[in-house]
Amino acid sequence: MVRAAITGVHGYVPDYILTNQELETMVETSDEWITSRTGIKERRILKGDNQGTSVIGINSVNGLLEKTGTDPEEIDLIICATVTPDMPFPATANIIADKVGAKNAFGYDLSAACSGFLFGMDTGARYIESGIYKKVIVIGADKMSAIIDYTDRTTCIIFGDGGGAVLLEPVPKDDNVGVMDSILKADGSGAPYLHMKAGGSVKPATVETVANREHFAYQEGSTVFKFAVTNMADVAAKIMERNNLTAEDIRFLVPHQANKRIIDATANRMGIGEDKVMMNIERYGNTTAGTLPLCLWDYESQLKKGDNLILAAFGGGFTWGSSWVRWAYDSN
Ligand code: UT7
């Protein structure tokens, strides 16, 4: 019997830094408002022609293959969680597989907004547990700047571009490490509060949809905020409870980076202090499917084999969930 373990993580953020100060010149806002309401100071933007989400995925996977000493031809499957695919089809995962030389892999994209990486990691883990596949890469990546209206101060201050990738491999169940348990949830009645109005099959692109700015992310922030606080905290608390984990057992909470106030509420509910919360929202903002692998990448050097991590996310859909992961290797 095997379990799926994360055996490597790597991330990528583009070079361009969009600061709160620059946003002050674009919309009616202030560094003080953004910092106190969200915790964000700056975010990254992928600039240049022909630069899509696959660029984030390719850079993440190339770094991952190099640091884990993995031959790309050994990869069985690539799952790319994103809501900003390079194009509606083919899947961004296929484009990434081609560019990194994963010739023997099949792949597909997974759409679950900010919970995408969590859903993808759990899906990848099941493929590994089946015994059929040995090396699965799960990417969480978004180029949010492609779907953000930079005249809308309620959304443009939150989002940024970036992401990361993990390698999942089988380990004996007795090792007691890996993806231990997950609770994943969805409620489609939340769609009106966070969605993109046009560009899908219900409302294909027309001159009017473009003129009406309907190809951007639309969010009713305070409603989403309320659902996010309750659901992310509930599900994180539940996964601890059903696995008999106390705050002392947890090395890190790895929360989706949407708003520092949502993260603080989740940590409070779990009874854990700030020193045990992975946080990089001040530098990257909300990268949607990218936040969790970016956190793991940033904190990798602090992780030791056996560390208990609670991953938690909430996002468009609504989708949300939490996973208990026992880290599988000493990073240094
Ligand atoms: O990752 C996917 C899931 N998404 C989330 O989890 C995001 C959840 N929502 C949030 O993080 C917050 O709701 C926001 C950061 C989006 C907004 O913060 P808020 O504290 O909920 O503000 P609000 O929307 O209730 O607006 C409060 C006030 C309003 O002014 P009035 O009507 O009280 O005069 C807004 O117009 O703040 C105003 N406002 C701003 N002021 C300066 C909204 N955006 C800005 C801004 N700068 N950028």
Side-chain angles (χ1 to χ4, degrees), residues 27-30 33-34 37-38 114 153-155 157-159 194 219-226 228 256-259 261-262 286 288 314-316:
V27 289
E28 187 67 43
T29 192
S30 66
W33 193 96
I34 302 171
R37 294 295 185 110
T38 69
C114 301
R153 69 176 183 174
T154 68
T155 50
I157 53 126
I158 306 172
F159 293 99
L194 182 48
Q219 173 170 260
E220 290 180 22
S222 55
T223 307
V224 178
F225 185 92
K226 279 178 213 134
H256 172 51
Q257 311 280 305
N259 187 317
R261 291 184 289 145
I262 300 173
N286 183 348
T288 303
F314 182 90

Side-chain angles (χ1 to χ4, degrees), residues 157-176:
I157 53 126
I158 306 172
F159 293 99
D161 302 341
V166 298
L167 178 63
L168 295 173
E169 292 182 272
V171 290
K173 215 163 189 178
D174 291 346
D175 284 8
N176 223 17

Side-chain angles (χ1 to χ4, degrees), residues 63 109 158 185-186 243 248 268 272 321:
D109 291 356
I158 306 172
K185 299 276 188 184
N243 290 289
E248 289 71 49
N268 274 342
I272 67 167

Side-chain angles (χ1 to χ4, degrees), residues 183-251:
I183 302 174
L184 306 177
K185 299 276 188 184
D187 178 0
S189 70
Y193 309 110
L194 182 48
H195 64 279
M196 199 196 292
K197 294 194 181 302
S201 56
V202 167
K203 209 178 197 189
T206 62
V207 172
E208 284 73 33
T209 62
V210 173
N212 293 337
R213 311 187 78 79
E214 291 178 336
H215 295 273
F216 296 119
Y218 169 85
Q219 173 170 260
E220 290 180 22
S222 55
T223 307
V224 178
F225 185 92
K226 279 178 213 134
F227 278 100
V229 165
T230 319
N231 287 316
M232 206 161 106
D234 273 359
V235 79
K238 197 177 254 171
I239 203 142
M240 286 172 66
E241 201 179 294
R242 90 172 181 193
N243 290 289
N244 299 314
L245 294 165
T246 64
E248 289 71 49
D249 299 321
I250 306 303
R251 179 67 188 93

Side-chain angles (χ1 to χ4, degrees), residues 91-105:
T92 303
N94 298 155
I95 295 165
I96 296 168
D98 176 50
K99 294 285 194 268
V100 303
K103 289 190 171 63
N104 299 310

Side-chain angles (χ1 to χ4, degrees), residues 112-129:
C114 301
S115 308
F117 177 78
L118 206 58
F119 285 20
M121 183 186 75
D122 203 62
T123 307
R126 304 293 156 239
Y127 276 106
I128 295 281
E129 284 170 9

